[in-house]
Amino acid sequence: MAVPSMLMVEPRGRTKDAMSSSAPSSAAHSLDTGRVAAEEVEVKAKIMAAKAVFLIAAWTVLYALCFGITYGYNAYFWDNGIAGNLFFAAAGTWLFGVWAAALQVFFSSVSKSSSQVLLGTGGVALGAYLLGIIPKLADLLPVKLMNGTALLQKAADPGDYYGCIVAAGAMVLLCMAAAVACFDRKQL
């Protein structure tokens, strides 16, 4: 093999691959392309999984820390016993955060900048709040999970929240599946 030189001329235009008597070049090329594509899909899946796990784990740890601190000082200064369904209300807020993280993962797979991710996530959350004006839809929107005050004051029952819990869980799974599908098409 010759050592490349600065004075060598690079070929331009169409060039033919070297022919081999063992296998047609198109078959060898398709095998290589298939192997590279499979490796790329695996890398993309790992990127999406790492992003989703990190966002949800960070949200969970930080939310648990804030909840623990608030629960501790409320127990010290006041009585936590007067709050009804305390942990169910806290779990609802946590699930809302998981929903927001899933939206961020989805929008990061289809957007080109972080500002587009934030605008997409905020836009969907704002749209969900505005759709909450419609009484029949309000019970199925994830934003209802943020209304834990009614649970704490015992004005609402945890059964009132089952519809929005199922809807939020389904939306999280849908966002993750759509993120993987969209990110597979994206060039790295």
Side-chain angles (χ1 to χ4, degrees):
M1 175 178 236
V3 178
S5 168
M6 283 183 13
L7 302 175
M8 288 180 70
V9 177
E10 184 176 323
R12 292 184 183 225
R14 293 183 67 184
T15 60
K16 284 190 160 189
D17 292 336
M19 296 296 289
S20 169
S21 62
S22 62
S25 63
S26 62
H29 177 70
S30 67
L31 289 174
D32 289 339
T33 304
R35 198 174 311 125
V36 171
E39 289 173 2
E40 187 175 323
V41 168
E42 184 179 331
V43 168
K44 287 180 177 182
K46 286 180 181 178
I47 290 170
M48 291 307 296
K51 188 180 288 191
V53 167
F54 176 77
L55 277 173
I56 293 172
W59 165 249
T60 301
V61 168
L62 294 173
Y63 183 71
L65 180 68
C66 289
F67 179 78
I69 290 170
T70 305
Y71 184 83
Y73 79 70
N74 275 334
Y76 181 75
F77 290 111
W78 301 285
D79 181 22
N80 279 337
I82 61 173
N85 304 309
L86 179 64
F87 292 103
F88 189 85
T93 305
W94 172 81
L95 183 57
F96 180 84
V98 171
W99 175 70
L103 285 173
Q104 288 177 347
V105 170
F106 169 71
F107 282 111
S108 70
S109 71
V110 297
S111 302
K112 294 182 180 179
S113 70
S114 59
S115 59
Q116 289 175 341
V117 174
L118 292 175
L119 285 172
T121 304
V124 170
L126 178 64
Y129 273 110
L130 292 177
L131 285 174
I133 295 171
I134 303 169
K136 291 184 179 183
L137 286 178
D139 290 338
L140 299 174
L141 295 172
V143 293
K144 183 177 180 177
L145 295 169
M146 294 293 291
N147 187 13
T149 307
L151 285 167
L152 296 174
Q153 295 173 346
K154 301 176 187 171
D157 188 49
D160 299 338
Y161 288 78
Y162 291 156
C164 61
I165 288 171
V166 170
M171 286 184 205
V172 166
L173 294 176
L174 182 67
C175 283
M176 294 299 181
V180 169
C182 292
F183 196 61
D184 280 346
R185 295 186 183 127
K186 198 173 190 178
Q187 294 290 331
L188 292 180

